[in-house]
């Protein structure tokens, strides 16, 4: 079974630009969560999507948005990039069943904003 | 207040020895889950072990075991017989069931370095 895939793996953008990151969950998984990892703030939850609906949102400005498609693939978008958005963005997928609790993470997208 | 605290920013362990990584948590939710993840330098988060708040026994997965002390709100990870490949960042995380959904709250991590 294929794991969680994220594209692109690396990205360099300029301040003020926008960026879209993609995440394909494990087949059959309907829950997709996004996390931002920085040296200063650590791992922080961005948002979670389940069946195309946002279920949870972390404490991030409105510049960060996401969506999920009917095939469970998810995208996150960051508009008007700032230097502080440089981070590793991790996507996790989950079956979200009563007896299945694991979240499987992808390799991440490393975003550098210059 | 910090929900997950990992007090050891870095640790060294000799190859083949056991090591304990500390994790304390804070929640008022009676139902929660505790996770440990390993993050090598490549960046990918690798699931290691899970403990539910109602589980009576400590979780074990191969060389990993979780020392769960509910009254003390601690969930320490024990790695037996350390290997060079265990060198990585280790994160403790919690999922509170009352939060609709699947949000994990992570600790700050512990960098483990295994010496040959």
């Amino acid at each position: 079974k294929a794991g969680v895939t994220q594209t692109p793996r690396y990205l360099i953008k300029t301040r003020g630009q926008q960026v879209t990151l993609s995440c394909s969950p494990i087949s059959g998984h309907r829950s997709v969560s996004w996390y931002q990892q920085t040296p200063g703030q650590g791992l922080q939850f961005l948002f979670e999507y389940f069946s195309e609906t946002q279920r949870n949102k972390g404490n991030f400005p409105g510049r960060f948005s996401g969506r999920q498609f009917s095939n469970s693939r998810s995208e996150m978008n960051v508009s008007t990039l700032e230097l502080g958005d440089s981070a590793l963005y991790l996507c996790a997928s989950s079956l979200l069943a009563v007896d299945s609790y694991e979240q499987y993470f992808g390799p991440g997208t490393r975003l550098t904003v210059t | 207040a910090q929900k997950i605290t990992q007090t050891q920013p870095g640790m060294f362990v000799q190859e083949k020895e056991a090591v304990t990584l500390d994790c304390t948590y804070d929640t008022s939710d009676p139902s929660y889950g505790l996770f440990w993840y390993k993050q090598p330098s490549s960046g990918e988060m690798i699931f290691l072990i899970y403990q539910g708040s109602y589980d009576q026994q400590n979780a074990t997965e191969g060389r990993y075991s979780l020392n769960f002390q509910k009254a003390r709100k601690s969930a320490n990870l024990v790695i037996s017989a350390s290997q060079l490949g265990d060198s990585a960042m280790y994160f403790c995380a919690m999922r509170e069931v009352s939060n609709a959904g699947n949000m994990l709250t992570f600790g700050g991590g512990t960098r483990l370095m295994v010496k040959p």
Side-chain angles (χ1 to χ4, degrees):
Chain A
K1 195 183 239 186
V4 179
T5 58
Q6 291 187 246
T7 56
R9 293 292 311 278
Y10 302 92
L11 206 49
I12 299 175
K13 289 285 189 179
T14 305
R15 270 181 305 176
Q17 289 186 316
Q18 76 164 16
V19 67
T20 299
L21 311 182
S22 179
C23 172
S24 292
I26 293 171
S27 177
H29 286 194
R30 294 163 64 191
S31 168
V32 174
S33 300
W34 289 89
Y35 295 84
Q36 181 198 64
Q37 185 177 23
T38 61
Q41 299 298 318
L43 276 152
Q44 293 185 288
F45 172 79
L46 279 156
F47 28 65
E48 181 208 358
Y49 287 87
F50 181 77
S51 293
E52 302 178 64
T53 301
Q54 188 179 88
R55 288 162 56 96
N56 258 323
K57 188 177 192 310
N59 189 24
F60 279 82
R63 300 185 296 108
F64 291 82
S65 62
R67 60 178 175 168
Q68 187 179 34
F69 301 95
S70 58
N71 62 357
S72 294
R73 188 177 71 86
S74 177
E75 289 181 347
M76 67 163 282
N77 184 276
V78 187
S79 62
T80 320
L81 283 165
E82 301 178 358
L83 294 179
D85 297 334
S86 294
L88 179 66
Y89 290 88
L90 291 161
C91 160
S93 82
S94 173
L95 197 55
L96 203 65
V98 171
D99 60 350
S100 178
Y101 41 76
E102 293 177 27
Q103 287 196 44
Y104 296 88
F105 282 81
T109 294
R110 192 167 293 279
L111 172 66
T112 302
V113 182
T114 62
Chain B
Q2 287 259 357
K3 286 200 169 186
I4 299 284
T5 303
Q6 295 180 252
T7 57
Q8 307 150 314
M11 287 189 71
F12 283 96
V13 64
Q14 199 69 39
E15 192 179 7
K16 298 180 186 175
E17 291 186 349
V19 63
T20 298
L21 306 184
D22 295 341
C23 172
T24 57
Y25 60 92
D26 184 28
T27 182
S28 56
D29 194 333
S31 183
Y32 53 90
L34 297 158
F35 302 74
W36 277 92
Y37 284 88
K38 172 184 177 182
Q39 187 178 43
S41 55
S42 60
E44 186 168 355
M45 299 286 281
I46 301 167
F47 168 79
L48 295 178
I49 198 166
Y50 168 84
Q51 180 86 41
S53 58
Y54 294 117
D55 292 343
Q56 296 296 313
Q57 293 192 316
N58 287 344
T60 60
E61 290 282 352
R63 294 187 299 112
Y64 305 107
S65 60
L66 201 153
N67 184 2
F68 181 47
Q69 297 186 49
K70 194 171 182 176
R72 297 181 61 185
K73 294 190 175 179
S74 77
N76 298 338
L77 176 71
V78 180
I79 305 175
S80 63
S82 296
Q83 302 172 355
L84 295 179
D86 294 335
S87 294
M89 284 291 292
Y90 288 81
F91 291 94
C92 179
M94 177 172 65
R95 174 181 173 234
E96 293 165 292
V97 177
S98 62
N99 281 328
N102 218 9
M103 183 180 85
L104 291 178
T105 304
F106 285 88
T110 295
R111 181 174 297 281
L112 178 67
M113 292 152 281
V114 181
K115 297 186 289 185

PDB file of all heavy atoms in Angstrom, chain A residues 77-89:
ATOM      1  N   ASN A  77      -3.011  26.150   0.877  1.00  0.00           N
ATOM      2  CA  ASN A  77      -2.571  27.350   0.178  1.00  0.00           C
ATOM      3  C   ASN A  77      -2.129  28.398   1.190  1.00  0.00           C
ATOM      4  O   ASN A  77      -2.769  28.572   2.225  1.00  0.00           O
ATOM      5  CB  ASN A  77      -3.718  27.889  -0.683  1.00  0.00           C
ATOM      6  CG  ASN A  77      -3.302  29.082  -1.508  1.00  0.00           C
ATOM      7  OD1 ASN A  77      -3.306  30.208  -1.026  1.00  0.00           O
ATOM      8  ND2 ASN A  77      -2.917  28.837  -2.744  1.00  0.00           N
ATOM      9  N   VAL A  78      -1.023  29.037   0.887  1.00  0.00           N
ATOM     10  CA  VAL A  78      -0.592  30.159   1.718  1.00  0.00           C
ATOM     11  C   VAL A  78      -0.470  31.362   0.791  1.00  0.00           C
ATOM     12  O   VAL A  78       0.284  31.318  -0.199  1.00  0.00           O
ATOM     13  CB  VAL A  78       0.750  29.896   2.414  1.00  0.00           C
ATOM     14  CG1 VAL A  78       1.051  31.026   3.408  1.00  0.00           C
ATOM     15  CG2 VAL A  78       0.754  28.554   3.117  1.00  0.00           C
ATOM     16  N   SER A  79      -1.209  32.397   1.087  1.00  0.00           N
ATOM     17  CA  SER A  79      -1.155  33.605   0.248  1.00  0.00           C
ATOM     18  C   SER A  79      -0.256  34.638   0.919  1.00  0.00           C
ATOM     19  O   SER A  79       0.005  34.571   2.123  1.00  0.00           O
ATOM     20  CB  SER A  79      -2.565  34.164   0.053  1.00  0.00           C
ATOM     21  OG  SER A  79      -3.107  34.544   1.304  1.00  0.00           O
ATOM     22  N   THR A  80       0.203  35.581   0.136  1.00  0.00           N
ATOM     23  CA  THR A  80       1.037  36.685   0.621  1.00  0.00           C
ATOM     24  C   THR A  80       2.111  36.162   1.589  1.00  0.00           C
ATOM     25  O   THR A  80       2.139  36.483   2.785  1.00  0.00           O
ATOM     26  CB  THR A  80       0.175  37.759   1.336  1.00  0.00           C
ATOM     27  OG1 THR A  80      -1.049  37.947   0.636  1.00  0.00           O
ATOM     28  CG2 THR A  80       0.930  39.081   1.369  1.00  0.00           C
ATOM     29  N   LEU A  81       2.991  35.363   1.059  1.00  0.00           N
ATOM     30  CA  LEU A  81       3.999  34.698   1.878  1.00  0.00           C
ATOM     31  C   LEU A  81       4.858  35.689   2.652  1.00  0.00           C
ATOM     32  O   LEU A  81       5.223  36.763   2.151  1.00  0.00           O
ATOM     33  CB  LEU A  81       4.888  33.836   0.995  1.00  0.00           C
ATOM     34  CG  LEU A  81       4.284  32.508   0.536  1.00  0.00           C
ATOM     35  CD1 LEU A  81       5.101  31.922  -0.610  1.00  0.00           C
ATOM     36  CD2 LEU A  81       4.205  31.533   1.708  1.00  0.00           C
ATOM     37  N   GLU A  82       5.174  35.296   3.880  1.00  0.00           N
ATOM     38  CA  GLU A  82       6.087  36.053   4.739  1.00  0.00           C
ATOM     39  C   GLU A  82       7.304  35.179   5.035  1.00  0.00           C
ATOM     40  O   GLU A  82       7.249  33.948   4.926  1.00  0.00           O
ATOM     41  CB  GLU A  82       5.373  36.421   6.042  1.00  0.00           C
ATOM     42  CG  GLU A  82       4.122  37.260   5.840  1.00  0.00           C
ATOM     43  CD  GLU A  82       3.401  37.561   7.138  1.00  0.00           C
ATOM     44  OE1 GLU A  82       3.865  37.086   8.206  1.00  0.00           O
ATOM     45  OE2 GLU A  82       2.369  38.259   7.085  1.00  0.00           O
ATOM     46  N   LEU A  83       8.398  35.840   5.445  1.00  0.00           N
ATOM     47  CA  LEU A  83       9.627  35.101   5.740  1.00  0.00           C
ATOM     48  C   LEU A  83       9.371  34.030   6.799  1.00  0.00           C
ATOM     49  O   LEU A  83       9.921  32.935   6.748  1.00  0.00           O
ATOM     50  CB  LEU A  83      10.725  36.052   6.210  1.00  0.00           C
ATOM     51  CG  LEU A  83      11.240  37.057   5.189  1.00  0.00           C
ATOM     52  CD1 LEU A  83      12.309  37.949   5.813  1.00  0.00           C
ATOM     53  CD2 LEU A  83      11.794  36.363   3.946  1.00  0.00           C
ATOM     54  N   GLY A  84       8.500  34.338   7.756  1.00  0.00           N
ATOM     55  CA  GLY A  84       8.207  33.411   8.844  1.00  0.00           C
ATOM     56  C   GLY A  84       7.421  32.177   8.422  1.00  0.00           C
ATOM     57  O   GLY A  84       7.229  31.267   9.222  1.00  0.00           O
ATOM     58  N   ASP A  85       6.976  32.149   7.187  1.00  0.00           N
ATOM     59  CA  ASP A  85       6.258  30.964   6.694  1.00  0.00           C
ATOM     60  C   ASP A  85       7.223  29.878   6.250  1.00  0.00           C
ATOM     61  O   ASP A  85       6.786  28.768   5.917  1.00  0.00           O
ATOM     62  CB  ASP A  85       5.351  31.356   5.519  1.00  0.00           C
ATOM     63  CG  ASP A  85       4.261  32.336   5.910  1.00  0.00           C
ATOM     64  OD1 ASP A  85       3.869  32.343   7.097  1.00  0.00           O
ATOM     65  OD2 ASP A  85       3.806  33.105   5.033  1.00  0.00           O
ATOM     66  N   SER A  86       8.514  30.197   6.230  1.00  0.00           N
ATOM     67  CA  SER A  86       9.515  29.183   5.906  1.00  0.00           C
ATOM     68  C   SER A  86       9.431  28.070   6.943  1.00  0.00           C
ATOM     69  O   SER A  86       9.561  28.316   8.148  1.00  0.00           O
ATOM     70  CB  SER A  86      10.917  29.791   5.914  1.00  0.00           C
ATOM     71  OG  SER A  86      11.057  30.736   4.880  1.00  0.00           O
ATOM     72  N   ALA A  87       9.205  26.857   6.479  1.00  0.00           N
ATOM     73  CA  ALA A  87       8.946  25.757   7.409  1.00  0.00           C
ATOM     74  C   ALA A  87       8.881  24.448   6.643  1.00  0.00           C
ATOM     75  O   ALA A  87       8.848  24.436   5.400  1.00  0.00           O
ATOM     76  CB  ALA A  87       7.616  25.963   8.145  1.00  0.00           C
ATOM     77  N   LEU A  88       8.817  23.370   7.409  1.00  0.00           N
ATOM     78  CA  LEU A  88       8.494  22.058   6.859  1.00  0.00           C
ATOM     79  C   LEU A  88       6.998  21.856   7.065  1.00  0.00           C
ATOM     80  O   LEU A  88       6.502  21.956   8.194  1.00  0.00           O
ATOM     81  CB  LEU A  88       9.275  20.962   7.578  1.00  0.00           C
ATOM     82  CG  LEU A  88       9.022  19.526   7.121  1.00  0.00           C
ATOM     83  CD1 LEU A  88       9.526  19.318   5.686  1.00  0.00           C
ATOM     84  CD2 LEU A  88       9.701  18.537   8.068  1.00  0.00           C
ATOM     85  N   TYR A  89       6.274  21.616   5.997  1.00  0.00           N
ATOM     86  CA  TYR A  89       4.829  21.400   6.090  1.00  0.00           C
ATOM     87  C   TYR A  89       4.559  19.910   5.936  1.00  0.00           C
ATOM     88  O   TYR A  89       4.879  19.312   4.911  1.00  0.00           O
ATOM     89  CB  TYR A  89       4.097  22.227   5.031  1.00  0.00           C
ATOM     90  CG  TYR A  89       4.154  23.699   5.354  1.00  0.00           C
ATOM     91  CD1 TYR A  89       5.215  24.483   4.910  1.00  0.00           C
ATOM     92  CD2 TYR A  89       3.176  24.296   6.143  1.00  0.00           C
ATOM     93  CE1 TYR A  89       5.292  25.829   5.241  1.00  0.00           C
ATOM     94  CE2 TYR A  89       3.244  25.639   6.480  1.00  0.00           C
ATOM     95  CZ  TYR A  89       4.314  26.392   6.034  1.00  0.00           C
ATOM     96  OH  TYR A  89       4.390  27.719   6.371  1.00  0.00           O
TER      97      TYR A  89
END
